[in-house]
DNA sequence: AATTCTATGTCAATCGTTTGACATAAATTA
DNA sequence: TAATTTATGTCAAACGATTGACATAGAATT
């Protein structure tokens, strides 16, 4: 059995109340007592029962992270960064992969709300999951839109789309193609698209668009892209995510197009992984460190002091990383 | 405030004991009572406080997952699969990224041991972290060696190494190069290496080896590989992981080597992600579904009935997926 | 009609920690 | 010296659910 508070008290030769005081740092305490208690705690390898503590409204030190899945490199990276920051504050992260299954997401939300976690960071789909509105848990979201008072942190998707368009055109592209995931108002994708289209049209061009349904397999995506390359003959492509951009480059090469001479490509996200293993790809990079920092900061803000007024949206600047897939 | 058991009882018009009986399915219960109670629970959106339950030795329904990090695609995939299986059993996963930091891993272990989780699945480094031996928590491990009674699940690393060697040689490779991560006895890497070397030597060849220190950046890895390609002139490479294999192929192409004509490459792991976005790469595939299944099954075995004798090691068969990076 | 099951209720202790109320005494300050 | 601050202790009531002991009464079985 785990040692309990009483055991610590006994070993330290003080009362249980005193031990509790030391742990919670309340009331008057002498250094020597604190020392004795800490030493006893160490010797016994004591850890207060978070169950018992939680019963008194203390924090569980647990945060729920709801994301679609962690096999997407950009999500894996955000989640990893968030987890690390939570750890530094003494919190642990429960990983909830919705896998694009609303039912799973809903169930997870209920489980989290029960009374397990102190807060939630969500970056998942949530097509009108009413449970989000049903809780008083502090929630912050990454890159998703909520009507209610849930603050959202995201990259400047619109600006990133514009930047991509501007860059491609400046580098001489004339036949522009936009390859996007599902076009859905709730999704960040949307801003990337509108930003891109706006900037393209402003410069007097008309962009072609290829929409890849959200749940299509890479094989289908490849085929669709392949087709489009042959038909539309683009010389500049913007993809709303890096993975799609990789497919574009690969398919282009297959049909003998040279990058960047025949075709320039810009992606979006800039996860470390993609950058390291696809060094050719130019991309609009999300500031993941800042995003993770801000998400966690906002969450703890709501956790610690209820009254501070938070903004509804925090938009962080993106950056173009220029690699071989665009001309110099 | 969350509704409590008492509120449910009141609404259902029964005693708190009865509600508890319904929840825990103990004693005699009529269908009609169960119905009333479940309806009341639903209406109130009631969830029993897991804190209160945990005080009575009930499960927290929480499992700790300790891994190095989730940005490695193969780990992301295992973790995601494990999480899904835990979810199906009503459990949640705490994600603990050690980030190759023994101190962080140790701290996480302590936190988990405290009394938060019901069990642990670890796939991390654990260079002699004594805490693993200090707990009675059920633990199972993925691909790591422990002395004690912690069961290990892993792919047939040795056999995979052999298979890679056999394949390369059968396809006509004569100058074999092994590119590996750190050679460390505790690591699965090691078996892949020895399996490969054994099979190569059995066939009368002598393999060259390049060791890439564990924490070197991709840039350094690239340079090392580049160097070796120029000096050793291999015509067959086995990498102990897919990511390294990707680097090899890219560097080879840079110096004008044709794959698979001049150089054949086989990797290891076979994560969905790598297969989808690097379709050229042949690789030894780990049976991730089986691995996740087994890990979770073993864990629950230990969770549910203490007495069943588990094996110390479970080795699952691997498979070669042959793509363009080896000759037909 | 007697016995056993089934279905529910009451009551209270328990899990490990927190916390408030109150007491005491030594150390410090006015 | 008196008043205050500091440092600890004792005691007991929470927190929310579980569970065992025991009671009661209708239903089903013998």
């Amino acid at each position: 059995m785990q040692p309990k508070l009483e055991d610590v008290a006994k070993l330290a030769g003080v009362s249980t109340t005193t031990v509790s005081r030391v742990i919670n740092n309340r009331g008057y305490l002498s250094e020597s007592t604190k020392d004795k208690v800490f030493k006893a705690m160490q010797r016994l390898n004591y850890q207060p029962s978070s169950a018992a503590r939680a019963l008194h409204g203390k924090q569980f030190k647990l945060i729920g992270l709801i994301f679609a899945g962690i096999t997407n490199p950009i999500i894996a990276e955000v989640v990893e960064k968030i987890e690390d920051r939570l750890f530094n504050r003494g919190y642990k992260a429960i990983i909830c992969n919705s896998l694009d299954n609303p039912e799973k997401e809903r169930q997870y939300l209920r489980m989290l709300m029960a009374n397990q976690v102190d807060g939630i960071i969500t970056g998942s789909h949530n097509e009108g999951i009413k449970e989000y509105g049903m809780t008083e848990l502090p929630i912050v979201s990454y890159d998703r839109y909520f009507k209610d008072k849930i603050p959202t942190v995201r990259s400047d998707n619109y600006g990133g789309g514009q930047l991509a368009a501007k860059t491609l055109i400046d580098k001489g592209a004339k036949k522009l193609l936009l390859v996007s995931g599902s076009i859905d108002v709730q999704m960040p994708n949307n801003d990337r698209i509108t930003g891109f289209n706006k900037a393209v049209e402003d410069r007097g061009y008309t962009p072609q668009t290829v929409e890849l349904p959200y749940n299509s397999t890479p094989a289908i995506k490849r085929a669709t892209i392949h087709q489009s390359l042959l038909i539309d003959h683009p010389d500049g492509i913007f993809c709303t995510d890096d993975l799609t951009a990789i497919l574009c480059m690969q398919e282009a090469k297959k049909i003998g197009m040279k990058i960047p001479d025949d075709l320039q490509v810009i992606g979006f996200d800039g996860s470390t992984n993609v950058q390291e293993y696809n060094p050719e790809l130019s991309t609009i990079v999300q500031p993941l460190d800042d995003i993770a920092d801000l998400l966690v900061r906002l969450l703890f803000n709501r956790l610690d002091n209820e009254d501070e007024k938070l903004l509804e949206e925090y938009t962080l600047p993106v950056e173009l990383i220029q690699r071989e897939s665009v001309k110099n």
Side-chain angles (χ1 to χ4, degrees), chain A:
Chain A
M1 269 301 284
Q2 299 273 350
K4 48 173 81 168
L5 191 135
E6 205 186 323
D7 304 320
V8 176
K10 221 172 286 173
L11 180 60
V14 299
S15 71
T16 59
T17 303
T18 299
V19 176
S20 176
R21 281 186 184 127
V22 171
I23 291 170
N24 296 287
N25 201 27
R26 305 177 62 252
Y28 297 117
L29 290 167
S30 72
E31 283 307 316
S32 71
T33 308
K34 282 195 215 169
D35 244 46
K36 274 190 296 182
V37 172
F38 281 131
K39 287 222 176 79
M41 283 173 39
Q42 272 212 299
R43 186 148 18 207
L44 293 175
N45 197 21
Y46 168 81
Q47 296 278 144
S49 150
S50 35
R53 305 193 77 201
L55 222 40
H56 289 269
K58 296 266 168 186
Q59 308 279 12
F60 246 107
K61 304 277 189 180
L62 229 39
I63 303 291
L65 307 184
I66 307 181
F67 284 82
I70 53 172
T71 50
N72 184 321
I74 188 76
I75 298 191
E77 205 172 325
V78 193
V79 169
E80 191 172 291
K81 285 180 191 298
I82 292 174
E83 177 271 339
D84 198 48
R85 282 154 180 80
L86 291 178
F87 176 83
N88 289 335
R89 298 192 186 226
Y91 280 70
K92 280 141 285 156
I94 293 185
I95 181 78
C96 311
N97 297 135
S98 70
L99 301 180
D100 296 318
N101 174 351
E103 192 41 48
K104 191 176 176 194
E105 180 167 353
R106 177 173 289 118
Q107 273 189 258
Y108 253 132
L109 256 174
R110 291 173 159 271
M111 288 162 78
L112 294 180
M113 282 163 50
N115 24 27
Q116 314 259 18
V117 300
D118 306 310
I120 293 177
I121 299 179
T122 178
S124 189
H125 259 200
N126 65 74
E127 351 183 348
I129 293 185
K130 64 177 189 311
E131 273 80 358
Y132 277 110
M134 286 171 51
T135 177
E136 280 144 46
L137 277 179
I139 304 186
V140 300
S141 96
Y142 165 56
D143 225 358
R144 302 294 142 155
Y145 301 94
F146 288 85
K147 330 163 202 334
D148 292 330
K149 51 202 161 123
I150 298 177
T152 296
V153 172
R154 55 185 164 84
S155 301
D156 183 1
N157 294 308
Y158 189 87
Q162 286 190 304
L163 179 54
K166 178 183 180 309
T167 307
L168 287 172
I169 293 173
D170 284 356
K171 305 279 180 188
K174 303 233 165 353
K175 294 206 62 181
L176 296 170
L177 178 66
L178 168 66
V179 181
S180 82
S182 293
I183 298 175
D184 176 338
V185 193
Q186 281 205 319
M187 299 281 294
N189 239 351
N190 202 47
D191 287 343
R192 298 179 187 174
I193 295 167
T194 54
F196 178 79
N197 283 338
K198 178 68 167 36
V200 171
E201 281 154 15
D202 280 357
R203 285 167 177 75
Y205 294 91
T206 313
Q208 293 287 315
T209 300
V210 171
E211 184 182 346
L212 304 171
Y214 187 75
N215 49 5
S216 45
T217 63
I220 294 178
K221 289 185 180 171
R222 282 199 135 89
T224 314
I225 291 165
H226 197 97
Q227 195 80 354
S228 171
L229 288 174
L230 291 176
I231 295 172
D232 300 326
H233 290 297
D235 58 1
I237 293 187
F238 170 52
C239 294
T240 54
D241 67 290
D242 284 344
L243 293 181
T244 307
I246 293 170
L247 297 182
C248 287
M249 293 201 300
Q250 290 179 354
E251 292 307 312
K253 284 178 191 165
K254 271 192 205 159
I255 59 178
M257 296 175 85
K258 292 266 177 271
I259 291 174
D261 298 332
D262 305 333
L263 177 66
Q264 304 189 69
V265 179
I266 296 182
F268 206 114
D269 282 346
S271 69
T272 306
N273 218 47
V274 168
Q275 286 192 57
E276 284 177 349
Y277 292 95
N278 299 80
E280 200 183 347
L281 177 64
S282 306
T283 186
I284 310 290
V285 185
Q286 298 199 52
L288 294 189
D289 278 308
D290 295 341
I291 288 172
D293 277 343
L294 187 53
L295 281 168
V296 172
R297 215 157 50 83
L298 292 178
L299 186 66
F300 278 87
N301 226 302
R302 294 209 46 199
L303 236 60
D304 295 338
N305 86 52
E306 313 262 345
D307 40 341
E308 169 156 353
K309 193 72 191 162
L310 300 184
L311 297 182
E312 267 203 0
E313 285 186 22
Y314 295 81
T315 303
L316 303 180
V318 295
E319 211 177 300
L320 170 73
I321 291 215
Q322 193 171 322
R323 307 302 246 314
E324 293 155 43
S325 72
V326 301
K327 293 179 188 162
N328 222 319

